[in-house]
Amino acid sequence: MVALTTATLLMLVLTIAFNAVAGHRLQHQANDELRTRAAAVATTIDTSGPAVRVLETSHDDLLDANVWIYAGHRLLEGPPGGGPLNRVTARLAARPGRHCATADLHTPLQLCAQPVPGGRSTATVVTALDLTPYRSSAHTLLVGSLALDAVMLACTYALTRLAVGRALRPVRTMTDQAAEWSAVASEERFGSTRHPAELAALGASLDSILDRIRSLLRHEQQLTGELSHELRTPLSRIIAELDWWGTRPRTAAQTRATHQVIGDAAESMRTICDTLLADAREHTPTAPGIAEVVPTLRRLAELLDVPAHLTISVEGPHLTTGIPPARLERIASPLLTNACRYARSTVTVTVHHTPEGVRLDVTDDGPGVPPEFAARLFEPGRRANPDDGHGGAGLGLPLARRLARSAGGEVSYDAGHAPGARFVIDLPS
């Protein structure tokens, strides 16, 4: 529509200009013909004597058609039945010099007065020309140019619509592909295929949107896996307590103890959900807090129901870290669980100060991590031996590292420790 409106305005300007030039040209031709006829009539007029004389020539009838000859203000010759036209020619003859005028009586006429040069007497020849053919030609030109404008505008609309449609066809294709790829988190991207150069920026923008969508889907899957991984332990305790409670009659004290265990496990599940969801919201840094390390670790050991061979060694008085207790539990829980799962006889947790904060060393005397798997240890979904008989999704260590890093800390594996495995947790003080 913009192209059609622009073309309409341009054609309108060109049509007006063309018809104005054509009209001016036809008017000029009419005046030239009148002056030529006046010059031919002037050759038959003798102004050398004291009186103006009109000489007789052959074909006077043709030459004198629509011609008036004046001697001063006196009409010498004119066409019969001039009537009102004689008054117009008289006024033209009375004005000095060469000039023309248009008169619309029964038909449109162009009249030109031209003085006869030379001689002692003054004579003026006035000629008239019917403008009907010229105006008919101008009207025909106007109608023809308008018809041509309509054809040109129709062609402009059709060609512009076709061109714009063909130009936007890749955009529609890219839009459909983006919708399809985003629904399935595809690896396909527009930057890897050939597109017109004008669409390179659009392709880059769509690639960026697809990357963000894929990142959000991956983050959602990661959060779902982490929640299921972390909720498995307290949920298992609830199921075990309910099975044990239902196998035989229980005293009131035992029932209260069972209710206490179930309540603690449910509270732990709520804390896990709150901690992970708070970390997932917009990846904001961890809110500041203070956790006493040793009491938090002992409470975590009770919640995890770890074996009695767990030893917590403290180097330094009253060690605290600058994160909430729930966050510390979520960071240390996967490391303690793995250490107790794979240890042969001993699990040791050593806590001590560092220049940057607090360090926790979780050490066990188990088989350790295979050297070829150490580089992929913190990748989500990776397990050194999926067939080792232990249920797990390979999300605990990546979750611990991500939570520690969001708090300004780090979780790492000490590959030089032998035998067994040694994981290090660094947290801000």
Side-chain angles (χ1 to χ4, degrees), residues 380-404:
R382 299 283 188 175
R383 294 185 59 193
N385 183 11
D387 301 325
D388 57 3
H390 297 290
L395 297 174
L397 293 179
L399 172 63
R401 170 174 278 186
R402 184 167 65 84
L403 293 176

Side-chain angles (χ1 to χ4, degrees), residues 165-178:
R166 289 178 63 87
L168 293 180
R169 189 178 304 163
V171 178
R172 290 194 294 269
T173 302
M174 294 170 67
T175 303
D176 295 339
Q177 289 176 341

Side-chain angles (χ1 to χ4, degrees), residues 13 40 86 106 111 203 275 294 337:
V13 171
N86 290 339
H106 301 292
L111 299 98
T275 302
V294 176
T337 301

Side-chain angles (χ1 to χ4, degrees), residues 32-326:
D32 286 345
E33 183 175 350
L34 289 173
R35 292 190 183 99
T36 301
R37 290 177 58 188
V41 172
T43 60
T44 67
I45 300 174
D46 183 11
T47 58
S48 60
V52 176
R53 291 186 311 117
V54 179
L55 304 178
E56 295 297 331
T57 61
S58 59
H59 308 296
D60 277 347
D61 293 340
L62 295 177
L63 190 61
D64 292 341
N66 290 331
V67 174
W68 289 260
I69 302 175
Y70 285 89
H73 295 282
R74 184 168 57 90
L75 177 63
L76 296 182
E77 283 189 9
L85 196 55
N86 290 339
R87 293 191 293 270
V88 178
T89 58
R91 288 195 298 269
L92 287 175
R95 295 167 59 185
R98 178 188 300 175
H99 44 273
C100 298
T102 302
D104 286 319
L105 298 176
H106 301 292
T107 57
L109 297 173
Q110 179 75 4
L111 299 98
C112 285
Q114 181 170 324
V116 178
R120 294 182 298 171
S121 301
T122 302
T124 304
V125 178
V126 180
T127 53
L129 181 65
D130 188 0
L131 292 179
T132 301
Y134 294 92
R135 293 193 176 182
S136 178
S137 298
H139 179 72
T140 302
L141 287 175
L142 177 60
V143 173
S145 59
L146 291 177
L148 180 61
D149 289 348
V151 173
M152 292 295 294
L153 290 176
C155 293
T156 300
Y157 175 79
L159 293 177
T160 304
R161 186 177 182 86
L162 177 62
V164 172
R166 289 178 63 87
L168 293 180
R169 189 178 304 163
V171 178
R172 290 194 294 269
T173 302
M174 294 170 67
T175 303
D176 295 339
Q177 289 176 341
E180 179 182 354
W181 293 345
S182 63
V184 297
S186 173
E187 295 286 349
E188 295 288 341
R189 293 297 181 267
F190 296 104
S192 59
T193 57
R194 293 182 59 85
H195 289 291
E198 294 82 2
L199 300 180
L202 175 61
S205 299
L206 290 177
D207 286 344
S208 177
I209 293 174
L210 290 174
D211 289 338
R212 287 199 296 271
I213 292 176
R214 191 167 189 275
S215 176
L216 290 175
L217 291 176
R218 186 168 57 248
H219 179 69
E220 179 181 352
Q221 294 170 354
Q222 178 183 1
L223 176 62
T224 304
E226 290 172 351
L227 280 172
S228 62
H229 178 274
E230 292 296 303
L231 294 177
R232 183 180 304 167
T233 299
L235 187 59
S236 298
R237 293 195 64 189
I238 293 177
I239 294 174
E241 288 292 332
L242 291 176
D243 289 343
W244 186 35
W245 185 79
T247 55
R248 59 180 179 173
R250 308 295 297 275
T251 64
Q254 291 174 333
T255 301
R256 285 193 297 271
T258 299
H259 289 170
Q260 181 65 35
V261 172
I262 294 176
D264 293 341
E267 182 65 26
S268 175
M269 293 173 67
R270 186 175 68 175
T271 302
I272 291 171
C273 290
D274 293 342
T275 302
L276 294 183
L277 290 176
D279 179 74
R281 292 189 185 101
E282 301 180 3
H283 300 283
T284 53
T286 303
I290 296 177
E292 296 186 1
V293 178
V294 176
T296 302
L297 291 178
R298 296 190 186 281
R299 182 171 62 253
L300 177 62
E302 295 176 0
L303 292 175
L304 296 178
D305 196 17
V306 298
H309 56 250
L310 171 65
T311 302
I312 298 177
S313 174
V314 181
E315 299 178 3
H318 194 64
L319 295 176
T320 60
T321 182
I323 60 174

